[in-house]
Amino acid sequence: MTDLRQDAPEPPALIAIRHRAGLADEMWRELAPLLAEEGITADTDPTDLPTLQAALDRAVARYNTALFTPTGRARADAAALLRQVVASFAAGETGHAARLLDFLGPEPSQTQPATSTACIGLALSLLDAWSAPAAGAPAGLLAGTALPAGHWRGERAASDILALARKGRAHRSHQRLIAQHGGHHVMDGAALALGATVQAWAKRTDIPAPEIAEAAIG
């Protein structure tokens, strides 16, 4: 049975490279508007490789940032999912929290409109924001947050996420985190770090964790 809580330390992530038919064409369609803004079109000289590579790097960076910076409906769906995960975590229902995360994917579905990229991006952004008192979080909240005792899914990623969030750099480091730990581990780790931080917030203020999640996640 799936559960965030594990009986043994989490092994290092094995990053698998999967080939998906049509992925290259799909990516180019997504990047075309961004490349056009860089002045790269079908008529661009294909032999000017340095210029093409620089434009492609900028376009990919902007594309990835947009994926991990949800707005509007995408943000609302991600926030709703994260509130449920945090509430389940606070109630000790770690199996339910794990099942909620297991239904996440890179694309929305009929049963789960939230996406893993939106949830990762929102969780990392919130943790970065809570490192500053101006965000309404208790002073020194992130510095006083530790992962709960025991072994957890995503615990390696969560430790790195908390360390980066204390410097306000978790969100900007999302690609490095995924390259190091893998997307599934980063999703679990982001949820674990968020849940642990809300728990620390609740202990500091005597406000129930679900109420904090409702107000602070939005």
Side-chain angles (χ1 to χ4, degrees), residues 42-218:
D43 298 325
T44 300
D45 179 6
T47 63
D48 188 2
L49 294 181
T51 298
L52 289 173
Q53 187 62 57
L56 180 60
D57 290 345
R58 290 191 296 269
V60 169
R62 291 174 60 194
Y63 176 76
N64 285 332
T65 297
L67 278 180
F68 287 88
T69 310
T71 59
R73 186 73 249 170
R75 189 196 188 284
D77 291 335
L81 187 283
L82 291 174
R83 287 197 301 270
Q84 293 179 62
V85 170
V86 168
S88 297
F89 182 82
E93 298 171 352
T94 54
H96 184 244
R99 288 189 291 276
L100 289 170
L101 295 172
D102 288 344
F103 278 107
L104 284 173
E107 300 291 337
S109 67
Q110 290 184 339
T111 56
Q112 180 49 266
T115 66
S116 54
T117 50
C119 288
I120 290 171
L122 179 56
L124 299 183
S125 294
L126 288 168
L127 291 167
D128 281 344
W130 294 347
S131 67
L141 175 63
L142 268 292
T145 296
L147 297 182
H151 303 298
W152 301 86
R153 267 177 38 180
E155 62 187 35
R156 293 172 183 269
S159 294
D160 287 350
I161 288 167
L162 283 175
L164 288 164
R166 291 179 185 118
K167 304 172 185 176
R169 289 165 35 194
H171 186 269
R172 76 181 71 171
S173 304
H174 62 267
Q175 289 299 321
R176 179 166 67 82
L177 287 165
I178 289 172
Q180 181 177 352
H181 297 287
H184 290 296
H185 288 274
V186 172
M187 182 67 262
D188 289 340
L192 178 59
L194 195 70
T197 304
V198 170
Q199 285 283 71
W201 191 333
K203 290 178 181 177
R204 292 272 296 274
T205 61
D206 290 327
I207 301 172
E211 290 185 21
I212 293 173
E214 187 71 27
I217 296 176

